[in-house]
Amino acid sequence: MKLRAMTLLCCILALSSIGFADEKRYDVPLGDSPSFGPHDAPVTLIEFIDFQ
Amino acid sequence: MFKSSFAAIVIVALIAFPAFAGKLEPIGAVPIPASNPQTPEKIELGKKLFFDRRLSGDGTMSCATCHDPEMAFTDGLAISMSYPTTRNWRNSPTLVNVAFQKSLFHDGRVATLEEQALFPMMSAFEMNRNLDFVEEVIRSVPEYVESFKKVFGDTDITRQRIAMAIAAFERTLVSRAAPLDQYLKGDEQALSPDARKGYDIFTGKGKCAECHDGMLLADNKFHALNVPENLEQEKDPRVAATRRFVAKVSGYGDYRTLAEDPGRYLVTKDKGDWKAFRTPTLREISLTAPYMHNGIFATLDEVIEFFDQGGGKGNTALKPLGLTTGEKKQLKAFLVEGLTGAAVTFEYPKVP
Amino acid sequence: MAAGPVVKKVLAAYSGKLRLVIKNYPYRYRDFSRIAAEASLAARDQGKYWEMHDILITRSPKLDRQNLIAYAQELGLDVKKFTAAIDAQKHKSEIDADIKLAESLDLYNTPTIFINGRKTVGERPFTYYKKIIDEELR
């Protein structure tokens, strides 16, 4: 009984770590970079740009 | 007389039914060709080249652009990324477990990774790089020249070597210990009860394993399922240009008026291959949306529905399945839970 | 390569709910990537960052020194000050810091866009960003 509970728990943990690639979040510091839009906007879009 | 005809029947039966048709197999040892053995230096060199934008005409694209390590080596788009001003016409397939494939590209036109690597580099709508030129570009980089010497024994930079290094790197992209594999090896608990039922449907009522079998859950054959056309493709003149271009260089006489993707036909010129595409692997499937050669299905639900209905209009490969809602749910559970292995361990290279 | 019109569309569609931040990741092997980045920050010094940003994107690849000075003129900037800034590489350390950040994130392509930390690589269609932003707004 305990073994079944353990394996079930492992399954749940394993499933929760199979993240979907696009939900991984990177911590990118804003620094003093040029910014447009409200500072408290719910969505921040950081673009690494090459003008050419 | 009776005995020999009985023997004949048995022999015919053994030949007619290949060993594992319909049977799933766990991931095994990676096949390494004798002509391109793996070494750590070669793999590292291949990894650098894989991420190197120099391999594209304007320096904007590398192999990794369409085969992003953080998206199971696809790019998450219906139609793959394109060279600026052009438009690609097919979906970017995953490179996870690509080492096990016996043919590459949706139309299976090459058999080895070494051959494959150069195509997108040359392709006008992908990386658009002249191969004679790229050899000289790589030759201008001292770090590469040194690596080539270490890896290949002398400093000559050739497209073949570039491809060999990239192939060596790609052969390391293997996902192991998928729950399906544990299950196949005897661990009943590796799949949840729903996924286990899904496995039974997959190998039974769903008939999935008739084409999605073996180690890759792909039969290395080409089938015309007549998936819905991608409307964007029909409207976009850039896609039409790509389509005609590929048909032209494939030697298809009527390329000027070609209005749909003929798939494998362009390779074999066999009428039976019109609109046939290679059965893709189902490993890592929950991470490699959108689905089909044109990315027409965004979700596995849509895919399952498509197969349940018996495939696209006029196809002769599939028949309706009559799956219940519960069975579809279980099948999906199997696909999502069972086929994702351990994440490919990965460190980004420092491209010179 | 910049996402240009798509990012503009995104900004317009989510005006008020979105904050756009630009970091420079000039490709070492493109002739004008670096100087264009300098030009954008030199324009920022004079309060016209976004105008210069837009000009650089639309006029690329005409981003050599001569053309950049012409754009500064077009924007009504103090041309002498602008020219001095790009010639002296006034913003070298900021650009280098951005590059260092990009390299620490293992970025290998531009544009790379982070939406609330979620990474997307390369130029993608508006619908792709919309989907992610809509999820973030929920």
Side-chain angles (χ1 to χ4, degrees):
Chain A
M1 210 47 186
K2 212 176 180 186
L3 181 64
R4 276 190 77 185
M6 280 292 284
T7 38
L8 189 62
L9 181 64
C10 285
C11 281
I12 293 170
L13 288 172
L15 282 174
S16 57
S17 67
I18 295 172
F20 293 97
D22 64 347
E23 277 179 26
K24 175 173 181 189
R25 285 175 202 279
Y26 288 85
D27 194 4
V28 186
L30 299 181
D32 190 32
S33 298
S35 128
F36 183 95
H39 278 228
D40 58 351
V43 178
T44 302
L45 197 144
I46 303 174
E47 182 183 359
F48 281 84
I49 212 176
D50 184 340
F51 288 106
Q52 183 174 353
Chain B
M1 185 113 150
F2 185 76
K3 230 180 170 181
S4 59
S5 52
F6 177 76
I9 292 170
V10 171
I11 290 169
V12 167
L14 285 173
I15 294 170
F17 297 104
F20 59 72
K23 252 188 84 201
L24 308 187
E25 289 178 11
I27 289 275
V30 178
I32 311 285
S35 53
N36 191 16
Q38 298 283 81
T39 70
E41 295 79 24
K42 190 188 289 181
I43 292 167
E44 189 59 34
L45 171 59
K47 188 172 14 169
K48 288 191 183 138
L49 292 166
F50 189 89
F51 282 87
D52 196 336
R53 292 182 269 173
R54 281 187 191 85
L55 300 186
S56 65
D58 65 352
T60 56
M61 313 188 57
S62 60
C63 311
T65 305
C66 300
H67 296 286
D68 185 343
E70 295 185 39
M71 301 193 96
F73 291 88
T74 67
D75 58 17
L77 294 169
I79 301 296
S80 182
M81 306 272 272
S82 335
Y83 188 74
T85 78
T86 71
R87 200 79 177 91
N88 207 322
W89 68 325
R90 289 178 183 158
N91 177 272
S92 177
T94 181
L95 297 188
V96 181
N97 300 321
V98 74
F100 297 97
Q101 284 180 221
K102 300 219 169 59
S103 67
L104 299 153
F105 294 113
H106 291 289
D107 57 15
R109 62 185 176 276
V110 301
T112 67
L113 293 174
E114 286 79 356
E115 291 169 82
Q116 188 282 340
L118 298 177
F119 272 83
M121 255 184 254
M122 294 188 279
S123 166
F125 54 92
E126 289 164 296
M127 290 163 76
N128 198 20
R129 186 59 127 167
N130 182 303
L131 293 184
D132 284 314
F133 197 79
V134 84
E135 286 170 344
E136 297 320 307
V137 170
I138 301 297
R139 207 192 306 278
S140 328
V141 184
E143 191 179 316
Y144 276 136
V145 174
E146 213 188 294
S147 293
F148 273 70
K149 179 149 194 243
K150 259 201 214 112
V151 171
F152 295 106
D154 63 67
T155 55
D156 199 15
I157 312 275
T158 65
R159 66 202 63 182
Q160 287 81 10
R161 288 178 173 184
I162 291 172
M164 285 165 73
I166 291 174
F169 165 63
E170 290 171 336
R171 291 195 172 100
T172 64
L173 307 176
V174 182
S175 73
R176 295 189 182 280
L180 168 69
D181 292 353
Q182 324 278 51
Y183 185 72
L184 291 173
K185 290 184 182 150
D187 180 2
E188 282 279 309
Q189 303 302 321
L191 295 173
S192 69
D194 262 358
R196 257 180 273 148
K197 292 230 175 66
Y199 171 84
D200 291 337
I201 295 166
F202 191 90
T203 52
K205 183 176 179 187
K207 302 186 186 215
C208 318
E210 282 181 15
C211 299
H212 291 286
D213 66 353
M215 202 186 290
L216 286 180
L217 283 77
D219 59 0
N220 196 42
K221 296 210 179 95
F222 304 85
H223 307 284
L225 304 183
N226 294 359
V227 300
E229 291 298 334
N230 188 318
L231 286 178
E232 182 217 351
Q233 289 221 358
E234 275 167 22
K235 289 187 288 183
D236 194 333
R238 294 174 300 173
V239 176
T242 295
R243 182 190 318 133
R244 294 193 304 263
F245 164 72
V246 176
K248 188 191 324 189
V249 302
S250 305
Y252 178 62
D254 291 329
Y255 68 87
R256 291 175 186 84
T257 52
L258 182 60
E260 51 187 359
D261 188 341
R264 178 77 173 159
Y265 175 86
L266 290 181
V267 179
T268 62
K269 307 300 190 307
D270 180 341
K271 278 218 191 80
D273 281 334
W274 186 263
K275 288 176 83 151
F277 294 91
R278 185 178 52 84
T279 310
T281 181
L282 294 185
R283 289 193 179 269
E284 311 299 306
I285 198 70
S286 63
L287 304 176
T288 59
Y291 305 106
M292 301 301 174
H293 72 276
N294 58 3
I296 195 71
F297 297 132
T299 63
L300 287 174
D301 294 303
E302 290 166 69
V303 174
I304 292 173
E305 200 51 43
F306 174 76
F307 282 100
D308 188 46
Q309 306 277 347
K313 207 153 152 242
N315 93 88
T316 55
L318 304 169
K319 295 230 157 28
L321 300 172
L323 297 176
T324 68
T325 312
E327 285 170 334
K328 288 181 198 167
K329 199 163 147 276
Q330 288 159 346
L331 180 57
K332 185 177 171 186
F334 167 68
L335 295 175
V336 171
E337 285 175 39
L339 304 178
T340 309
V344 175
T345 53
F346 190 78
E347 243 188 69
Y348 284 90
K350 289 279 172 258
V351 176
Chain C
M1 284 259 308
V6 176
V7 171
K8 257 205 149 98
K9 196 171 170 195
V10 167
L11 263 182
Y14 293 95
S15 150
K17 302 201 201 99
L18 196 129
R19 181 184 184 190
L20 174 66
V21 178
I22 305 290
K23 293 199 177 277
N24 294 292
Y25 193 22
Y27 186 40
R28 230 184 315 164
Y29 302 106
R30 267 189 228 120
D31 289 336
F32 311 123
S33 298
R34 183 100 198 190
I35 198 177
E38 286 279 355
S40 74
L41 296 176
R44 187 192 193 191
D45 290 339
Q46 298 191 36
K48 291 239 170 119
Y49 177 79
W50 293 102
E51 291 85 344
M52 181 58 88
H53 168 101
D54 285 356
I55 283 191
L56 296 172
I57 290 173
T58 45
R59 311 286 175 92
S60 169
K62 288 200 159 90
L63 304 176
D64 55 283
R65 183 180 177 275
Q66 203 83 311
N67 271 300
L68 292 175
I69 293 171
Y71 304 148
Q73 183 110 10
E74 214 181 298
L75 288 176
L77 299 180
D78 178 335
V79 177
K80 215 162 160 223
K81 209 168 151 214
F82 174 85
T83 310
I86 62 174
D87 284 348
Q89 288 191 66
K90 180 169 176 224
H91 296 279
K92 179 178 193 300
S93 55
E94 287 144 80
I95 297 171
D96 283 343
D98 278 357
I99 293 173
K100 196 159 173 233
L101 174 60
E103 284 174 353
S104 77
L105 293 164
D106 290 309
L107 303 190
Y108 54 87
N109 210 319
T110 51
T112 299
I113 290 177
F114 292 87
I115 300 175
N116 281 359
R118 290 167 66 169
K119 180 164 96 164
T120 72
V121 176
E123 256 186 68
R124 286 165 181 263
F126 172 73
T127 48
Y128 191 86
Y129 300 118
K130 181 181 189 309
K131 179 167 178 284
I132 299 179
I133 295 173
D134 286 342
E135 282 170 21
E136 291 301 304
L137 284 174
R138 241 180 270 129

